[in-house]
């Protein structure tokens, strides 16, 4: 059930609706918008009789939700969500650039890459501290030692730190030292991890599972939002297909498909989406052209020596060139793409 308040509804009227939702044992999710507040409800197993809400002061409309999602939808929030991370944003006018190595390997490596990405204007530094690897014998990340390096990078360069939580206890560490919690493709349906991230105050970057449909991916975002964390960023990183010329098939059609359903920002990861450095820039250009709110790109100062994902890592100079190109495309694409989704404002 979705309760749409009148544009003139007062804070007291909104509170009264929220209180009634809670009194019947459900959870209320008030979403203030540019013109009105809508209140989503979760926690019910079957349909709720919405009539008791219809006559409450300030209520414009009670809508039965027949779609599987309730909170990610444009019905609840017609304007695009802008995720704010300090003075940086994802989903607004600015093209969000999240760049850095696949894994934090050493202080020298992380600093070299951080300096390069900051110079080209990135606001976010990515780097795995704990790495989900296919082989148990592969480099698993520096773990907590990596955090000392991340904390220094954050202080030295003013970059926002994005790193993946593999397990629930990682979330509180990211809360202490980082800025955005990444949920990786392999964890997209780790529901207890999603719930834990949903109880965090930090934004969550949710990667698409490697065999996830759009609906499964959006329902994973619902898990996070249902716990009260509305700052979710979706990241298209490709899915497994029969293709052998790429590591994954980057599904750029998911960007406009999400725009039609959801207010959440969506970014594209052409690094994991292709697996090969030579394809990263062309697919990054395409991602921006198709209307993505940002990019996640892997960069390494010595890709040939990287401990993970070296084949898809750009050198700092290749990365700088990519940024120049995607900025130019963004200039042209942003007004066109923003006009596409109804009610969007930056
Ligand atoms: C990563 O970002 O380094 C990563 C492991 O990505 P994904 O979860 O998309 O495979
Ligand atoms: Mn990687």
């Amino acid at each position: 059930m979705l309760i749409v308040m009148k544009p003139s509804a007062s804070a007291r009227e909104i509170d009264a609706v929220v209180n009634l939702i809670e009194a019947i044992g459900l959870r209320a999710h008030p979403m203030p918008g540019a013109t009105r507040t809508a209140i989503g409800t979760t926690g019910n197993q079957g349909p709720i009789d919405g009539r008791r809400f219809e006559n409450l002061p300030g209520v414009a409309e009670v809508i039965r939700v027949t779609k599987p999602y309730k909170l990610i939808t444009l019905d609840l929030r017609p304007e695009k969500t802008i995720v704010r991370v300090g003075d940086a944003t994802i989903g607004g006018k600015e093209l969000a650039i999240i760049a850095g190595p696949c894994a934090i390997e050493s202080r020298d490596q992380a600093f070299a890459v951080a300096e390069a990405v900051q110079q080209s204007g990135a606001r976010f530094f990515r780097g795995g501290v704990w790495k989900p690897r296919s082989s148990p014998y592969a480099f698993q990340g520096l773990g907590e030692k990596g955090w000392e390096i991340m904390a220094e990078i954050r202080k030295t360069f003013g970059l926002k730190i994005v790193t993946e939580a593999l397990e629930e206890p990682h979330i509180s560490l990211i809360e202490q030292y980082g800025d955005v919690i990444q949920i990786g493709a392999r964890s997209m349906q780790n529901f207890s991890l999603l719930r834990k991230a949903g109880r965090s105050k930090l934004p969550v970057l949710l990667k698409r599972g490697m065999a996830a449909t759009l609906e499964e991916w959006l329902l994973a975002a619902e898990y996070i939002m249902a716990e009260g964390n509305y700052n979710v960023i979706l990241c298209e990183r490709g899915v497994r297909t029969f293709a052998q010329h790429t590591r994954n098939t980057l599904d750029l059609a998911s960007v406009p498909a999400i725009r039609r359903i959801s207010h959440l920002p969506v970014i594209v990861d052409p690094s994991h989406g292709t697996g090969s450095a030579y394809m990263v820039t062309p697919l990054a250009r395409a991602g921006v052209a198709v209307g993505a709110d940002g990019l996640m790109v892997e960069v390494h100062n010595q890709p040939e020596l990287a401990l993970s994902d070296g084949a898809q890592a750009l050198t700092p100079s290749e990365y700088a060139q990519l940024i120049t190109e995607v900025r130019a495309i963004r200039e042209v694409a942003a007004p066109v793409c923003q006009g596409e989704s109804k009610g969007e404002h930056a």
Side-chain angles (χ1 to χ4, degrees):
M1 180 181 62
L2 170 63
I3 299 169
V4 181
M5 303 300 293
K6 292 179 183 160
S8 59
S10 68
R12 269 177 81 196
E13 289 168 342
I14 294 168
D15 283 349
V17 174
V18 167
N19 291 341
L20 180 56
I21 292 169
E22 286 169 358
I24 59 172
L26 304 178
R27 181 156 185 173
H29 301 267
M31 292 280 168
T35 55
R36 45 71 158 169
T37 290
I39 307 169
T41 53
T42 57
N44 53 304
Q45 298 300 331
I48 315 164
D49 183 357
R51 279 172 303 182
R52 71 177 98 194
F53 292 93
E54 269 168 11
N55 297 321
L56 293 182
V59 172
E61 202 184 351
V62 179
I63 302 169
R64 233 192 100 207
V65 178
T66 50
K67 295 174 190 142
Y69 6 75
K70 304 164 178 224
L71 304 176
I72 59 111
T73 62
L74 288 167
D75 300 330
L76 180 62
R77 195 183 157 90
E79 305 91 24
K80 214 162 127 189
T81 289
I82 300 176
V83 173
R84 289 174 205 284
V85 188
D87 58 349
T89 57
I90 307 177
K93 282 211 174 82
E94 187 182 3
L95 180 69
I97 305 291
I98 304 170
C102 180
I104 302 299
E105 299 169 4
S106 67
R107 190 178 182 280
D108 285 353
Q109 170 248 17
F111 265 67
V113 179
E115 189 173 8
V117 304
Q118 192 223 25
Q119 271 171 12
S120 63
R123 310 295 303 276
F124 299 89
F125 182 72
R126 60 143 293 142
V129 169
W130 306 281
K131 291 306 300 176
R133 302 305 301 277
S134 301
S135 165
Y137 310 119
F139 176 60
Q140 305 283 311
L142 292 182
E144 293 190 25
K145 255 200 285 169
W147 272 121
E148 289 167 26
I149 299 169
M150 284 296 218
E152 250 192 282
I153 285 181
R154 193 190 201 201
K155 222 167 116 193
T156 311
F157 299 101
L159 290 161
K160 322 286 178 213
I161 302 295
V162 182
T163 202
E164 178 172 350
L166 287 186
E167 298 162 13
E168 289 174 48
H170 294 168
I171 289 184
S172 28
L173 281 164
I174 301 176
E175 282 169 339
Q176 256 174 283
Y177 303 110
D179 300 287
V180 176
I181 301 163
Q182 178 172 324
I183 303 286
R186 290 156 194 80
S187 303
M188 191 207 82
Q189 284 190 317
N190 179 341
F191 300 116
S192 58
L193 188 63
L194 296 175
R195 283 204 181 93
K196 174 92 181 170
R199 294 192 288 272
S200 175
K201 294 266 181 294
L202 291 187
V204 179
L205 188 147
L206 178 65
K207 288 199 149 192
R208 180 177 185 177
M210 46 180 106
T213 62
L214 203 66
E215 183 169 311
E216 287 163 340
W217 184 17
L218 292 170
L219 285 170
E222 267 306 304
Y223 263 91
I224 299 167
M225 295 184 72
E227 295 295 324
N229 187 347
Y230 308 128
N231 288 314
V232 178
I233 304 129
L234 299 166
C235 178
E236 167 61 49
R237 49 78 72 203
V239 288
R240 239 344 132 70
T241 67
F242 53 81
Q244 290 178 343
H245 60 290
T246 53
R247 179 179 180 184
N248 291 293
T249 296
L250 190 64
D251 175 16
L252 292 178
S254 69
V255 177
I258 289 166
R259 287 272 187 269
R260 185 166 271 218
I261 304 171
S262 178
H263 53 82
L264 294 176
V266 50
I267 69 164
V268 165
D269 171 353
S271 304
H272 295 88
T274 62
S276 298
Y278 82 93
M279 290 188 188
V280 170
T281 299
L283 272 294
R285 289 190 211 116
V288 175
V290 86
D293 294 298
L295 295 172
M296 172 176 267
V297 183
E298 286 190 346
V299 183
H300 200 289
N301 54 332
Q302 292 174 293
E304 65 287 359
L305 297 180
L307 298 181
S308 68
D309 285 352
Q312 67 194 37
L314 297 188
T315 61
S317 64
E318 288 166 338
Y319 163 76
Q321 177 63 24
L322 174 151
I323 295 300
T324 311
E325 294 179 19
V326 296
R327 289 239 158 91
I329 293 169
R330 173 72 169 186
E331 287 279 305
V332 187
V336 179
C337 299
Q338 297 210 342
E340 269 166 20
S341 75
K342 58 181 163 98
E344 185 180 317
H345 74 134

